[in-house]
Amino acid sequence: MKSFTLFILFFSASLKLFSQDDSVYLNKMVIIFTNDGGEHIGRLLSISEREYYLTTRKNGNVYIPKYAIRKIELLTDENFVNNKFIEPNRFYPYYAICGNALPVKKGDLYLRTPFLLSAIAEVGLNDRWAWSVGTFSLFASGTALRYNLPLTKSNSLGICAGYGGVMFLFPDADPEDKQIGYSRVYYTRGKAERNVTVGVGYSSNLSGKIYSPFTTHGGMIRAGKGIVFLFEGMLLAQYKAGMFGATCRMFTKKKRALDFGFNLVLWEEQYTVYRSPLVYRRLRAFPLPAIGYHIKF
């Protein structure tokens, strides 16, 4: 009898807690997922002990029994785009190449392959720090540590530092010439589904023979249930060179994404004409396909 009484008390407390949680949805736009795979989008008008009552644009007023409901979510600007509910953007911390200042959550592990020639793994050490390691263009390796700090709901600041080196090329070169470090400070405006980022940094090899300040910019915007459009660029002031591109990211599965796009690599070339003291400059460019694959574990 004592056990039965405890069960009744526990069950009553659970119902009360469930009812308290339900109240946050009243008179708000919600999406209700049912056990048979259905989705009902509308304004929740009332809640009884047995059912939800909401008004929908598609089916008018609808009663949905509680036992048929798998889950319920509020509709926000983040998960409701073009009158369709979308799964959260799981790959929000990255553009095609660089990251933004939106924090990587503790324990989240990402594997990215920009240009399909690199493999970069990054893990969230906590909700501020993230550490990455990888290979770049198949002949270089490196590691980076970054700290991302949300200032407000739509403003974040980040700082990162990295170190790497060339593994196979230029065997006769000074080892200090083949090791490069960089640091970058960047600011992100926006949230996971829509944001822009600007940053400044400095890179140099250990000998100091190769160095340059640089600027970065990037952005993403959710365009549909399974598509995100990205833009990104980088400018190296010392060498009057840069790269700019646009990419379409498609979600193939809940924890997979594929990038298709292109980048334009630009640089200023100096040349002289035979027996002429004048130095001429011209802008050179070539397209670089941007194909990448992303996995979240």
Side-chain angles (χ1 to χ4, degrees), residues 30-280:
V30 300
I31 178 168
I32 295 178
F33 300 90
T34 54
N35 295 322
D36 60 2
E39 297 179 1
H40 302 271
I41 297 175
R43 183 173 298 278
L44 186 60
L45 300 179
S46 66
I47 303 172
S48 69
E49 294 181 358
R50 296 183 301 174
E51 59 194 8
Y52 288 83
Y53 176 54
L54 68 159
T55 179
T56 68
R57 181 179 299 178
K58 183 177 180 181
N59 299 315
N61 296 341
V62 177
Y63 290 93
I64 304 177
K66 282 188 175 181
Y67 67 81
I69 294 173
R70 179 166 57 88
K71 68 175 180 177
I72 179 172
E73 291 189 20
L74 289 173
L75 292 184
T76 67
D77 292 339
E78 297 293 305
N79 62 19
F80 195 57
V81 178
N82 296 331
N83 293 321
K84 292 182 180 180
F85 178 80
I86 59 175
E87 292 291 338
N89 178 9
R90 299 177 186 272
F91 301 96
Y92 66 88
Y94 312 101
Y95 304 120
I97 305 173
C98 295
N100 53 43
L102 300 177
V104 177
K105 297 179 181 178
K106 181 180 179 180
D108 282 356
L109 175 61
Y110 294 88
L111 176 63
R112 303 184 295 126
T113 59
F115 302 108
L116 296 182
L117 296 174
S118 306
I120 305 170
E122 183 167 46
V123 61
L125 303 178
N126 54 39
D127 289 340
R128 297 290 182 269
W129 291 95
W131 174 63
S132 62
V133 62
T135 62
F136 308 92
S137 302
L138 302 181
F139 58 82
S141 63
T143 184
L145 186 67
R146 61 181 180 139
Y147 178 81
N148 292 341
L149 176 66
L151 303 176
T152 66
K153 289 184 178 181
S154 299
N155 298 277
S156 301
L157 186 66
I159 183 171
C160 68
Y163 170 81
V166 177
M167 296 184 292
F168 307 119
L169 297 184
F170 316 114
D172 298 328
D174 189 321
E176 291 187 346
D177 289 339
K178 298 190 292 183
Q179 301 177 57
I180 296 176
Y182 77 93
S183 60
R184 182 170 72 109
V185 178
Y186 44 101
Y187 162 77
T188 297
R189 170 71 177 176
K191 299 180 182 179
E193 308 298 336
R194 183 194 301 256
N195 58 74
V196 294
T197 299
V198 293
V200 295
Y202 186 84
S203 63
S204 173
N205 63 357
L206 296 186
S207 68
K209 296 177 183 178
I210 301 175
Y211 61 92
S212 179
F214 63 88
T215 61
T216 62
H217 69 268
M220 68 173 60
I221 181 170
R222 191 69 173 260
K225 189 170 185 178
I227 297 178
V228 172
F229 287 123
L230 312 169
F231 68 88
E232 193 169 15
M234 176 182 292
L235 180 64
L236 285 79
Q238 182 71 20
Y239 301 100
K240 297 181 180 180
M243 183 172 68
F244 306 90
T247 305
C248 175
R249 176 168 296 161
M250 296 180 293
F251 303 128
T252 57
K253 295 181 180 180
K254 287 186 176 181
K255 295 185 178 182
R256 305 288 189 273
L258 190 63
D259 289 353
F260 287 103
F262 74 94
N263 290 282
L264 192 63
V265 180
L266 304 165
W267 74 97
E268 184 184 78
E269 183 179 75
Q270 297 184 5
Y271 66 97
T272 59
V273 179
Y274 180 65
R275 291 185 177 181
S276 172
L278 299 177
V279 177
Y280 297 91

